[in-house]
Amino acid sequence: MLPPGARSNSAADTIPAKMLHSSLNKIKHPINIVKWTPEGRRLLTGSSSGEFTLWNGMGFNFETILQVRVSSIRFDVCANMEHQAHDSAVRAVSYSHNEDWLLSADQDGIVKYWQTNFNNVKVLQAHLDSIRDIAFSPNDSKFVTACDDHTLNIFDFAGGVKESTLTGHNWDVKAVDWHPTKGLLVSGSKDHQVKLWDPRTGRCLTTLHGHKNTIAKTKFEPSMGQLLATCARDQTARVFDLRMMRDVCLLRGSEKDISTLVWHPIHVSLLTTGGADGSIYHYLLDEPHNPSGTVTSLPPYESPDPSNAPAQTIYPAHKVQYAHDFSIWSLDWHPLGHILASGSNDRVTRFWTRARPGETDCYNDKFHLGEEEAAARGTWDKRDRRKMMREDEDQEIEDEAGGLEDQKMPVKQPLLPGIPGLTKPVNGLQGIRPPQPQYSGIDGNLRPRHAPSEIATMDPERFQALMAGGTIQAPPPPFGAQNPAFSPPPFPPNFDASKMPPGMFIPTTQGFQPPQSGIPPPPPGHLGGLPGIGPEGGTGAGGGRRRGPLPSQQESLMMEQQRGRFKTAR
């Protein structure tokens, strides 16, 4: 299957008729916003609880959740452990064109700046009432917000300072969008009006009439920017041509109010709407698809009088009548245009894609026919509904638990003092035992039969008998005795061995010789021959090292005078 970009002239092949996956959180809330990340690897959803959830764009499983609410028993955060979601319902999000920033707005009128790693860097009180929509300017230097206080505010993005306020609507402003390449704003309000604005001067350029109820969404076509789509709670959507400043298409066929719409990122003629009854309709603007018994209308472009000709009526090319159980609040296409995501008031996020060539089973599922009809045709078993729902919930809980476990930082092990990189044992240093010296003749209790202190006081005849019997091994030969080539170099001629401390090995040119007393050398770590150092590092009762006496003041003065200092009396 080729991607939609490879078949830019065949929009019908891109219609997402197949349901891929249904994703839901462990604690369910209505999904107000769905938004693909710019690279298309994840889907961001915002719920009425104020939390963000990231879903994997390939496996559609849970990745992470951002939620910090004082009144909630949960405290879930992203891997950075510093993120904060909104304290009220998330109402709008928008990515910058350079893909470096994300703006989010909530029910309390707060706008938050997010980096791509979802690090919250700024919080801005943009309005005092609920913000319904938000949009970036083409160069990302400004953004605009639509609020229930009847106004639109334009902010400088870098400084977060409000530059101007657009007034002119007589009721709540429900939608706003910034033209992809021009300095042009469009807004839709509860007063049934669609207005175009100049963001530089704040002047209303024109008002587009046509809808008979609250405007739910306004969107410029993102590829060329020549068309404007609007939808309202009068069960219709309209497409306006900005060059003619009038509506050229009237989208009919919806049985309930239309709550949202979205343009396809590649195919200009493909427009998708979401209804208050949970249905998804796909319209092809160049194919009217009139039902039988209706007369096909001509587009205004082909009329002798385009300015006064009525708008062409377009009917949906494909319907997913039972896509969700309740109102669909948000729709968004994957940047490549092959997957459509939908968020609904039924607390479920669903992923849709095109059917494979020759695949027809997807048109007979419960999303197209309904549960009753699908059960009658044998494509849906109502008895397995609760079982499937329970399996889906268990899978989502498992994915969520795994995602949160992956985000936990590894536990830092305490380090040994003075030894960088070496971790301290869990039970502290008390559990560490020094290595035991290896002696011949060790019994089952791992204790030498003849400790060094016993050897020192042993009778010489008994000591020789034990050595002859092999109970005590003879000391190693002198250094260099096995190989004279490794003998130590001779000492200088002026070296006086008599000044060495008593009991220390006296080096000779033939190697180190043991003392003449016949007693073997002490074990490693026992420096009994050095004055002031005992078997355990000291000679006192506490095992502490004995310090030598400090020189007296008179001795110190004499040493300094020998160096030529302090010879002159003051």
Coordinates of all heavy atoms in Angstrom, one line a residue, residues 359-406:
E359 N -10.3 -5.9 1.2 CA -10.8 -6.2 2.5 C -12.2 -5.5 2.6 O -12.3 -4.3 2.4 CB -9.9 -5.6 3.6 CG -10.3 -5.9 5.0 CD -9.3 -5.3 6.0 OE1 -8.3 -4.6 5.6 OE2 -9.5 -5.6 7.2
T360 N -13.2 -6.3 2.9 CA -14.5 -5.8 3.0 C -15.2 -6.1 4.4 O -16.3 -5.6 4.7 CB -15.4 -6.5 2.0 OG1 -15.4 -7.9 2.1 CG2 -14.9 -6.2 0.6
D361 N -14.5 -6.9 5.3 CA -15.1 -7.2 6.6 C -15.2 -5.9 7.4 O -16.2 -5.8 8.3 CB -14.2 -8.2 7.3 CG -14.2 -9.5 6.6 OD1 -15.1 -9.8 5.8 OD2 -13.3 -10.3 6.9
C362 N -14.4 -4.9 7.3 CA -14.4 -3.7 8.1 C -15.7 -2.9 7.8 O -16.1 -2.1 8.7 CB -13.2 -2.9 7.9 SG -13.0 -2.3 6.2
Y363 N -16.3 -3.1 6.7 CA -17.6 -2.4 6.4 C -18.8 -3.0 7.0 O -19.9 -2.4 7.0 CB -17.8 -2.2 4.9 CG -16.6 -1.6 4.2 CD1 -15.7 -2.3 3.5 CD2 -16.5 -0.2 4.2 CE1 -14.6 -1.7 2.8 CE2 -15.4 0.5 3.6 CZ -14.5 -0.3 2.9 OH -13.5 0.3 2.3
N364 N -18.6 -4.2 7.6 CA -19.8 -4.9 8.2 C -19.6 -5.0 9.7 O -20.2 -5.9 10.3 CB -19.9 -6.3 7.6 CG -20.2 -6.2 6.1 OD1 -21.0 -5.4 5.7 ND2 -19.6 -7.1 5.3
D365 N -18.8 -4.2 10.3 CA -18.6 -4.3 11.8 C -19.6 -3.4 12.5 O -20.4 -2.8 11.9 CB -17.1 -3.9 12.1 CG -16.8 -2.4 11.7 OD1 -17.7 -1.7 11.2 OD2 -15.6 -2.0 11.7
K366 N -19.5 -3.4 13.8 CA -20.5 -2.7 14.6 C -20.4 -1.2 14.5 O -21.3 -0.5 14.8 CB -20.3 -3.1 16.1 CG -19.0 -2.6 16.7 CD -19.1 -2.9 18.2 CE -17.8 -2.3 18.9 NZ -17.8 -2.4 20.3
F367 N -19.2 -0.7 14.0 CA -19.1 0.8 13.9 C -19.8 1.3 12.6 O -20.2 2.5 12.6 CB -17.6 1.1 13.8 CG -16.8 0.6 15.0 CD1 -15.9 -0.5 14.9 CD2 -16.9 1.2 16.2 CE1 -15.2 -0.9 15.9 CE2 -16.2 0.8 17.3 CZ -15.3 -0.3 17.2
H368 N -20.0 0.4 11.6 CA -20.7 0.8 10.5 C -22.2 0.5 10.5 O -23.1 1.2 10.1 CB -20.1 0.2 9.2 CG -18.8 0.8 8.8 ND1 -17.6 0.4 9.4 CD2 -18.4 1.7 7.9 CE1 -16.6 1.1 8.9 NE2 -17.1 1.9 7.9
L369 N -22.5 -0.7 11.1 CA -23.8 -1.2 11.1 C -24.6 -1.0 12.4 O -25.8 -1.1 12.4 CB -23.9 -2.7 10.7 CG -23.2 -3.1 9.4 CD1 -23.2 -4.6 9.2 CD2 -23.9 -2.4 8.2
G370 N -23.8 -0.8 13.5 CA -24.4 -0.9 14.8 C -24.4 -2.2 15.4 O -24.3 -3.2 14.6
E371 N -24.5 -2.3 16.7 CA -24.4 -3.6 17.3 C -25.6 -4.6 17.0 O -25.3 -5.8 16.8 CB -24.4 -3.4 18.8 CG -23.1 -2.7 19.3 CD -23.1 -2.6 20.8 OE1 -24.1 -3.0 21.5 OE2 -22.1 -2.0 21.4
E372 N -26.8 -4.1 16.8 CA -27.9 -4.9 16.5 C -27.8 -5.5 15.1 O -27.9 -6.8 14.9 CB -29.2 -4.1 16.6 CG -29.5 -3.6 18.0 CD -29.8 -4.7 19.0 OE1 -30.2 -5.8 18.5 OE2 -29.7 -4.5 20.2
E373 N -27.5 -4.7 14.1 CA -27.3 -5.2 12.8 C -26.1 -6.1 12.6 O -26.1 -7.1 11.9 CB -27.3 -4.0 11.8 CG -27.2 -4.4 10.3 CD -28.5 -5.1 9.9 OE1 -29.5 -4.9 10.5 OE2 -28.4 -5.8 8.8
A374 N -25.0 -5.7 13.3 CA -23.8 -6.5 13.2 C -24.0 -7.9 13.8 O -23.5 -8.9 13.3 CB -22.6 -5.8 13.8
A375 N -24.8 -7.9 14.9 CA -25.1 -9.2 15.6 C -26.0 -10.1 14.7 O -25.8 -11.3 14.6 CB -25.7 -9.0 16.9
A376 N -26.9 -9.4 14.0 CA -27.8 -10.2 13.1 C -27.0 -10.8 11.9 O -27.3 -11.9 11.4 CB -28.9 -9.3 12.6
R377 N -26.0 -10.1 11.4 CA -25.2 -10.6 10.3 C -24.0 -11.5 10.8 O -23.3 -12.1 10.0 CB -24.6 -9.4 9.5 CG -25.6 -8.5 8.9 CD -24.9 -7.6 7.9 NE -25.9 -6.7 7.3 CZ -25.6 -5.8 6.3 NH1 -24.3 -5.8 5.8 NH2 -26.5 -5.0 5.8
G378 N -23.9 -11.6 12.1 CA -22.9 -12.5 12.6 C -21.5 -12.0 12.7 O -20.5 -12.7 12.9
T379 N -21.3 -10.7 12.5 CA -20.0 -10.0 12.6 C -19.7 -9.5 14.0 O -18.7 -8.9 14.2 CB -19.9 -8.9 11.6 OG1 -20.9 -7.9 11.8 CG2 -20.0 -9.5 10.2
W380 N -20.7 -9.6 14.9 CA -20.5 -9.1 16.3 C -21.4 -9.9 17.2 O -22.5 -10.2 16.9 CB -21.0 -7.6 16.3 CG -21.1 -7.1 17.7 CD1 -22.3 -6.8 18.4 CD2 -20.0 -6.7 18.6 NE1 -22.0 -6.3 19.6 CE2 -20.6 -6.3 19.8 CE3 -18.7 -6.8 18.5 CZ2 -19.9 -5.9 20.9 CZ3 -17.9 -6.4 19.6 CH2 -18.5 -5.9 20.8
D381 N -20.7 -10.3 18.3 CA -21.4 -11.1 19.3 C -21.7 -10.3 20.5 O -20.7 -9.9 21.2 CB -20.6 -12.4 19.6 CG -21.4 -13.4 20.5 OD1 -22.5 -13.1 20.9 OD2 -20.8 -14.5 20.7
K382 N -22.9 -10.0 20.8 CA -23.3 -9.2 21.9 C -22.9 -9.8 23.3 O -22.6 -9.1 24.3 CB -24.7 -8.8 21.9 CG -25.2 -8.0 20.7 CD -26.7 -7.7 20.8 CE -27.0 -6.9 22.0 NZ -28.5 -6.5 22.0
R383 N -22.8 -11.1 23.3 CA -22.5 -11.8 24.6 C -21.1 -11.6 24.9 O -20.7 -11.7 26.1 CB -22.8 -13.3 24.4 CG -24.3 -13.6 24.2 CD -24.5 -15.1 24.0 NE -23.8 -15.5 22.7 CZ -23.8 -16.8 22.3 NH1 -24.4 -17.7 23.0 NH2 -23.2 -17.1 21.1
D384 N -20.2 -11.4 24.0 CA -18.8 -11.2 24.2 C -18.5 -9.7 24.5 O -17.3 -9.4 24.6 CB -18.0 -11.7 23.1 CG -18.1 -13.2 23.0 OD1 -18.5 -13.8 24.0 OD2 -17.8 -13.7 21.9
R385 N -19.5 -8.8 24.5 CA -19.1 -7.4 24.6 C -18.4 -7.1 26.0 O -17.4 -6.4 26.0 CB -20.4 -6.6 24.5 CG -20.2 -5.1 24.7 CD -21.5 -4.3 24.5 NE -21.2 -2.9 24.7 CZ -22.2 -2.0 24.6 NH1 -23.4 -2.3 24.3 NH2 -21.9 -0.7 24.7
R386 N -19.0 -7.6 27.1 CA -18.4 -7.3 28.4 C -17.0 -7.9 28.5 O -16.1 -7.4 29.1 CB -19.3 -7.7 29.5 CG -20.6 -6.9 29.6 CD -21.4 -7.3 30.9 NE -22.5 -6.4 31.0 CZ -23.3 -6.5 32.1 NH1 -23.1 -7.3 33.0 NH2 -24.4 -5.7 32.1
K387 N -16.9 -9.1 27.9 CA -15.6 -9.8 28.0 C -14.6 -9.1 27.2 O -13.4 -8.9 27.7 CB -15.8 -11.2 27.4 CG -14.5 -12.0 27.4 CD -14.7 -13.4 26.8 CE -13.4 -14.2 26.7 NZ -13.6 -15.5 26.2
M388 N -14.9 -8.6 26.0 CA -14.0 -7.8 25.2 C -13.6 -6.5 25.9 O -12.5 -6.1 25.9 CB -14.6 -7.6 23.8 CG -14.7 -8.8 23.0 SD -15.4 -8.5 21.4 CE -14.1 -7.5 20.7
M389 N -14.6 -5.8 26.5 CA -14.4 -4.6 27.2 C -13.4 -4.8 28.4 O -12.5 -4.0 28.6 CB -15.7 -3.9 27.6 CG -16.5 -3.4 26.5 SD -18.0 -2.6 27.1 CE -17.4 -1.3 28.1
R390 N -13.7 -5.9 29.1 CA -12.8 -6.2 30.2 C -11.4 -6.5 29.8 O -10.4 -6.1 30.4 CB -13.4 -7.4 31.0 CG -12.7 -7.7 32.3 CD -13.5 -8.6 33.2 NE -13.8 -9.9 32.5 CZ -15.0 -10.2 32.1 NH1 -16.0 -9.3 32.3 NH2 -15.3 -11.3 31.5
E391 N -11.3 -7.3 28.7 CA -9.9 -7.6 28.2 C -9.2 -6.3 27.7 O -8.0 -6.1 27.9 CB -10.0 -8.6 27.0 CG -10.5 -10.0 27.4 CD -10.6 -10.9 26.2 OE1 -10.5 -10.4 25.1 OE2 -10.9 -12.1 26.5
D392 N -10.0 -5.4 27.0 CA -9.4 -4.1 26.6 C -8.9 -3.3 27.8 O -7.8 -2.7 27.8 CB -10.3 -3.3 25.8 CG -10.6 -4.0 24.4 OD1 -9.8 -4.8 24.0 OD2 -11.6 -3.7 23.8
E393 N -9.7 -3.3 28.9 CA -9.4 -2.5 30.0 C -8.2 -3.1 30.7 O -7.3 -2.4 31.2 CB -10.6 -2.4 31.0 CG -11.7 -1.6 30.5 CD -12.9 -1.6 31.4 OE1 -12.8 -2.3 32.5 OE2 -13.9 -0.9 31.1
D394 N -8.1 -4.4 30.8 CA -7.0 -5.1 31.5 C -5.7 -4.8 30.7 O -4.7 -4.6 31.3 CB -7.2 -6.6 31.6 CG -8.4 -6.9 32.6 OD1 -8.7 -6.0 33.4 OD2 -8.9 -8.0 32.5
Q395 N -5.8 -4.8 29.4 CA -4.6 -4.6 28.6 C -4.2 -3.2 28.7 O -2.9 -2.9 28.8 CB -5.0 -4.9 27.1 CG -3.8 -4.7 26.1 CD -2.7 -5.7 26.4 OE1 -2.9 -6.8 26.8 NE2 -1.4 -5.2 26.3
E396 N -5.1 -2.2 28.8 CA -4.7 -0.8 29.0 C -4.1 -0.6 30.4 O -3.1 0.2 30.5 CB -5.9 0.1 28.8 CG -6.5 0.1 27.4 CD -5.4 0.6 26.3 OE1 -4.5 1.3 26.7 OE2 -5.5 0.1 25.2
I397 N -4.6 -1.3 31.4 CA -4.1 -1.2 32.7 C -2.7 -1.7 32.7 O -1.7 -1.1 33.3 CB -5.0 -1.9 33.7 CG1 -6.3 -1.1 33.9 CG2 -4.3 -2.0 35.1 CD1 -7.3 -1.8 34.8
E398 N -2.5 -2.8 32.0 CA -1.1 -3.4 32.0 C -0.2 -2.5 31.3 O 1.0 -2.3 31.7 CB -1.2 -4.8 31.3 CG 0.1 -5.5 31.2 CD 0.0 -6.8 30.5 OE1 -1.1 -7.3 30.3 OE2 1.1 -7.5 30.3
D399 N -0.6 -1.9 30.1 CA 0.3 -1.0 29.4 C 0.6 0.2 30.2 O 1.7 0.7 30.2 CB -0.4 -0.6 28.1 CG -0.5 -1.7 27.1 OD1 0.2 -2.7 27.3 OD2 -1.4 -1.7 26.2
E400 N -0.4 0.8 30.9 CA -0.2 1.9 31.8 C 0.8 1.6 32.9 O 1.7 2.4 33.2 CB -1.5 2.5 32.3 CG -1.4 3.8 33.1 CD -2.8 4.3 33.4 OE1 -3.8 3.9 32.8 OE2 -2.8 5.3 34.2
A401 N 0.6 0.5 33.5 CA 1.5 0.1 34.6 C 2.9 0.0 34.1 O 3.9 0.4 34.7 CB 1.0 -1.1 35.3
G402 N 3.1 -0.7 32.9 CA 4.4 -0.8 32.4 C 5.0 0.5 32.0 O 6.2 0.7 32.2
G403 N 4.2 1.4 31.4 CA 4.7 2.7 31.0 C 5.2 3.5 32.2 O 6.2 4.1 32.2
L404 N 4.4 3.5 33.3 CA 4.8 4.2 34.5 C 6.0 3.6 35.2 O 6.8 4.3 35.7 CB 3.6 4.2 35.5 CG 2.4 5.0 35.0 CD1 1.3 4.9 36.1 CD2 2.7 6.5 34.8
E405 N 6.1 2.2 35.1 CA 7.3 1.6 35.7 C 8.6 1.9 34.9 O 9.6 2.1 35.5 CB 7.1 0.1 35.6 CG 8.2 -0.7 36.3 CD 8.3 -0.5 37.8 OE1 7.2 -0.1 38.4 OE2 9.4 -0.7 38.4
D406 N 8.4 2.1 33.6 CA 9.6 2.4 32.8 C 10.1 3.8 33.0 O 11.2 4.2 32.8 CB 9.3 2.3 31.3 CG 9.0 0.8 30.9 OD1 9.5 0.0 31.6 OD2 8.4 0.6 29.8

